[in-house]
Amino acid sequence: ACLISVLLSMQFILLFFDHFKHNREQIDYWQTTKMMSRMLERIDPGAVIIAYHSWFGLNYLQQVEGKRPDVTILILSSFIVPDLFTDFEESRFKNIVIPKVPLEEFASAFLTENVYNRPIYWEPVVDYNKFVNAYLVPDGLLFKISPVVYPLTSESVRTYLSQLSDDLALSEMSDDLEESAFYAQLLSGHGAYFLEKEVYEIALGHFKMAAAMVPNHPQFLNLLGISYAYLEHYEQAEETFLRSISVNRENDEPYLNLAKMFMNNAQQEKAMYYFNKAIEYAPNHRDALFSLGKINASLGNKQEALHFFHRILTINPKDEEAKKEADQLSTRIQ
């Protein structure tokens, strides 16, 4: 039943994708203000929004057009690098608790102090969902943060997709490149959430849309490749990773993902090739070096394997796993 629900949800995403391609050819004006107005309109009273890409637009609607003065709009950067921001002065915010803690503890303390007393919404972002992923409740473009771990279900996925359809309104989207990038960033953040939750079909749909909106974006292509790989669509994954590499040859992530995919499929030579490409651009990448050590050891290349484990220990002498592998190889060589 769960699989059927996921497949039905995937059909929705694909229809959504076709709808986007059809409509973007007909509209030639920017309409994200409508989308952001809809986002604000359905936010619970007295809520907090932790935004990133949408922060400027939401602030404009509140500060200039006077929409939703009861809502507190914060920028995610204030939590990531709080020492560079002065957003959290008590005189500016009357409706939220500002914890008195060291900066490195501020983000978690803020959520702990506020999440039980007021709704908190989170704009999903690829690199930062990891801080709250277990507590996120999919709810259209902005997710809610639950006080307790939130178990994702097929029903919650269907509800999310329905709300996302209302929030996005891709029929209003123009051909403006900045607008396309804005939508793509939002969708990639949502896709990253589902990727972490291992709902790969839904993640794939989001990344397909993001890559269609901004075709040569290496991050979107890399994430799309990861989704294909998890779904065991290996040819499409390889093609997509290589597209990402063609856009930015110095980005080590697609090389690493290709290498891991081939290693998991017992294609050791291809795996070694891409791990070696990865360390050309990230010479101290521990996982790549360790994997090269393990693959060479399995192929009987003991000296070469030992070389890679020693490189790890040069970087971090306390790496117990690398030390164990190096000691075992040294004993065999003797």
Side-chain angles (χ1 to χ4, degrees):
C2 182
L3 177 60
I4 292 171
S5 297
V6 168
L7 291 175
L8 288 172
S9 299
M10 187 58 193
Q11 286 183 330
F12 177 89
I13 283 284
L14 292 175
L15 288 171
F16 209 23
F17 177 62
D18 290 338
H19 183 70
F20 152 71
K21 289 196 299 184
H22 173 73
N23 280 286
R24 77 170 300 181
E25 297 172 357
Q26 304 176 30
I27 309 296
D28 58 359
Y29 52 91
W30 182 294
Q31 287 285 358
T32 48
T33 53
K34 283 188 178 180
M35 180 193 73
M36 290 191 189
S37 291
R38 282 192 294 270
M39 288 164 66
L40 273 181
E41 284 166 5
R42 73 177 199 83
I43 293 298
D44 292 335
V48 175
I49 301 176
I50 301 175
Y52 194 67
H53 300 291
S54 62
W55 178 81
F56 181 84
L58 293 173
N59 262 280
Y60 170 83
L61 291 172
Q62 185 181 71
Q63 301 298 327
V64 178
E65 298 190 12
K67 294 186 177 182
R68 295 304 302 269
D70 61 302
V71 173
T72 302
I73 303 170
L74 305 174
I75 189 166
L76 178 57
S77 304
S78 299
F79 295 92
I80 300 165
V81 281
D83 52 322
L84 299 182
F85 290 83
T86 56
D87 277 1
F88 298 109
E89 298 169 2
E90 288 186 352
S91 59
R92 293 183 57 205
F93 300 109
K94 304 297 185 183
N95 299 323
I96 56 177
V97 177
I98 308 297
K100 299 275 194 289
V101 295
L103 289 177
E104 62 272 15
E105 300 172 16
F106 184 82
S108 59
F110 177 87
L111 292 176
T112 300
E113 293 285 345
N114 288 279
V115 73
Y116 288 96
N117 303 314
R118 55 192 51 79
I120 300 181
Y121 291 82
W122 173 274
E123 178 192 322
V125 182
V126 169
D127 293 325
Y128 303 117
N129 288 347
K130 59 188 176 185
F131 299 122
V132 291
N133 214 77
Y135 302 90
L136 290 179
V137 180
D139 190 32
L141 277 174
L142 295 176
F143 289 9
K144 282 185 177 179
I145 297 181
S146 167
V148 296
V149 171
Y150 180 77
L152 188 65
T153 64
S154 297
E155 181 58 35
S156 60
V157 171
R158 285 196 298 271
T159 301
Y160 155 75
L161 291 172
S162 175
Q163 186 59 59
L164 182 67
S165 177
D166 292 339
D167 283 356
L168 265 180
L170 291 175
S171 61
E172 298 171 355
M173 183 179 171
S174 76
D175 282 329
D176 185 282
L177 294 180
E178 289 186 9
E179 184 180 6
S180 295
F182 173 78
Y183 277 84
Q185 290 286 3
L186 290 180
L187 287 166
S188 68
H190 289 226
Y193 166 81
F194 287 105
L195 193 62
E196 180 68 24
K197 290 291 188 180
E198 301 181 4
V199 187
Y200 301 124
E201 294 90 348
I202 304 300
L204 179 74
H206 286 78
F207 296 135
K208 271 188 173 181
M209 293 178 69
M213 292 173 180
V214 185
N216 294 319
H217 195 293
Q219 184 187 46
F220 301 157
L221 291 170
N222 183 53
L223 291 165
L224 180 58
I226 292 171
S227 301
Y228 278 131
Y230 275 121
L231 289 166
E232 300 182 3
H233 301 164
Y234 298 125
E235 288 186 10
Q236 290 165 297
E238 183 176 11
E239 178 186 347
T240 307
F241 286 134
L242 291 174
R243 280 178 60 198
S244 180
I245 289 168
S246 72
V247 177
N248 181 5
R249 294 190 177 277
E250 296 187 5
N251 181 10
D252 62 288
E253 284 190 33
Y255 291 117
L256 287 165
N257 290 326
L258 272 167
K260 290 173 184 176
M261 183 179 78
F262 286 122
M263 186 169 69
N264 292 337
N265 285 285
Q267 298 185 53
Q268 307 289 48
E269 295 295 331
K270 278 192 170 184
M272 278 205 300
Y273 173 78
Y274 284 115
F275 276 128
N276 276 305
K277 293 296 291 184
I279 62 174
E280 283 183 25
Y281 304 108
N284 296 333
H285 196 287
R286 189 269 181 196
D287 289 348
L289 294 170
F290 190 86
S291 296
L292 282 167
K294 291 289 286 183
I295 292 172
N296 275 284
S298 72
L299 295 173
N301 305 328
K302 296 175 184 177
Q303 290 287 0
E304 189 69 13
L306 192 60
H307 162 74
F308 287 112
F309 293 126
H310 281 164
R311 280 181 63 175
I312 295 172
L313 292 169
T314 301
I315 300 162
N316 178 17
K318 295 182 179 180
D319 192 312
E320 292 298 326
E321 198 175 10
K323 187 176 186 306
K324 179 181 176 181
E325 295 288 344
D327 288 344
Q328 289 177 348
L329 279 169
S330 299
T331 302
R332 291 180 208 162
I333 292 171
Q334 292 171 2

